[in-house]
Amino acid sequence: EARADWMDKIRPQKRGDFRQQVNSWWSSLTEGQRTVTGIIAANAFVFCLWRLPAMRRIMFTYFTSDPSSRALCSPMLLSTFSHFSLFHMAANMYVLWSFSTSIVSLLGCEQFIAVYLSAGVISTFVSYVAKMATGRFEPSLGASGAIMTVLAAVCTKMPEAKLAIIFLPVFTFTAGSALKAIIAFDTAGLALGWRLFDHAAHLGGALFGMWYVTYGHELIWKNREPLVKAWHEMRTKNPGKGGG
């Protein structure tokens, strides 16, 4: 009987069982986690493209942001999904996953996607301006600028929320204090010319996130409310067929 149980555990699972487990896992996720799953998958796909030697020239041209490059506009968005280092991607995606539930609860799925993509473009543009001003034309990549927008938006709306660092779980601090520390760090890095991170992109993303949740929602998103309502009606028109 023990041997039979052991054999059942190592025997390949049936396709139906695997699908059921995937559906169960997907149902256990929050709306925010389901929303960012696609973003994380896109980042993982682009990360794999960096491993292909034949794609290296295309990746440097379109998936890194550099004001001296011949391609300027498309990298402002595409570089947001680009990571060359596994640790860099894992850290960014962990932060995005951690804040996904809060940001989607604040903005909703559609508005979050719009803000995230806009944040990638805006943070890259701020990076362009800083590089042109300092004359340091270095390629940048990563989702940090867009993720800084997410972090800043949540910390601005919930400044008293308790946060912790994964390696120091016993040390907690408020979201408002964390936001102030991040802005001070990136401002110092930009002023002193540190090259550890793209401090201009981080700072641009954080300031955009603070501005958007304070003023941008009223000035921008509410003017698109009729279009969003029409989209929701189209999605929920036939809930029995998967539209909901």
Side-chain angles (χ1 to χ4, degrees):
E1 183 179 354
R3 181 184 178 188
D5 293 340
W6 178 75
M7 291 295 293
D8 288 337
K9 291 180 180 179
I10 67 172
R11 184 181 294 119
Q13 293 181 335
K14 296 180 180 179
R15 183 178 301 177
D17 295 336
F18 177 75
R19 183 180 301 175
Q20 185 178 3
Q21 290 183 357
V22 172
N23 291 335
S24 177
W25 169 80
W26 184 258
S27 300
S28 67
L29 300 180
T30 65
E31 183 181 8
Q33 291 171 336
R34 289 195 293 265
T35 302
V36 302
T37 298
I39 298 176
I40 295 174
N43 280 268
F45 176 73
V46 175
F47 174 78
C48 292
L49 293 180
W50 275 106
R51 315 268 79 81
L52 302 177
M55 293 292 296
R56 193 61 60 87
R57 179 177 297 180
I58 295 176
M59 301 305 292
F60 272 111
T61 302
Y62 296 102
F63 287 85
T64 61
S65 60
D66 188 347
S68 63
S69 174
R70 63 184 179 87
L72 291 176
C73 294
S74 55
M76 295 176 72
L77 178 62
L78 295 179
S79 64
T80 306
F81 297 88
S82 180
H83 299 83
F84 186 79
S85 166
L86 178 60
F87 178 79
H88 186 200
M89 184 186 70
N92 279 341
M93 295 302 100
Y94 173 78
V95 175
L96 179 62
W97 181 269
S98 300
F99 284 86
S100 60
T101 300
S102 299
I103 190 63
V104 173
S105 297
L106 286 174
L107 302 179
C109 178
E110 292 88 354
Q111 187 175 191
F112 161 71
I113 294 295
V115 170
Y116 185 85
L117 297 178
S118 301
V121 174
I122 291 172
S123 61
T124 305
F125 178 76
V126 175
S127 176
Y128 278 178
V129 172
K131 291 175 182 177
M132 293 293 293
T134 59
R136 296 176 178 175
F137 301 106
E138 299 173 342
S140 301
L141 73 169
S144 303
I147 293 174
M148 283 297 298
T149 295
V150 173
L151 190 150
V154 173
C155 292
T156 300
K157 294 298 288 185
M158 297 182 291
E160 299 302 322
K162 294 295 183 179
L163 303 179
I165 301 175
I166 184 174
F167 301 110
L168 299 171
V170 297
F171 178 67
T172 61
F173 44 87
T174 64
S177 299
L179 181 59
K180 293 176 183 177
I182 290 172
I183 292 178
F185 174 76
D186 284 316
T187 301
L190 181 61
L192 299 177
W194 296 345
R195 299 188 179 185
L196 184 61
F197 305 107
D198 190 340
H199 296 284
H202 287 192
L203 193 59
L207 295 178
F208 173 66
M210 295 169 61
W211 174 84
Y212 188 85
V213 295
T214 305
Y215 305 105
H217 173 74
E218 297 289 335
L219 296 176
I220 299 176
W221 191 256
K222 282 197 172 181
N223 293 330
R224 288 158 173 75
E225 191 170 353
L227 180 62
V228 176
K229 285 185 176 180
W231 170 248
H232 272 294
E233 290 177 359
M234 182 179 69
R235 290 180 59 195
T236 57
K237 191 172 182 180
N238 297 313
K241 297 180 179 181

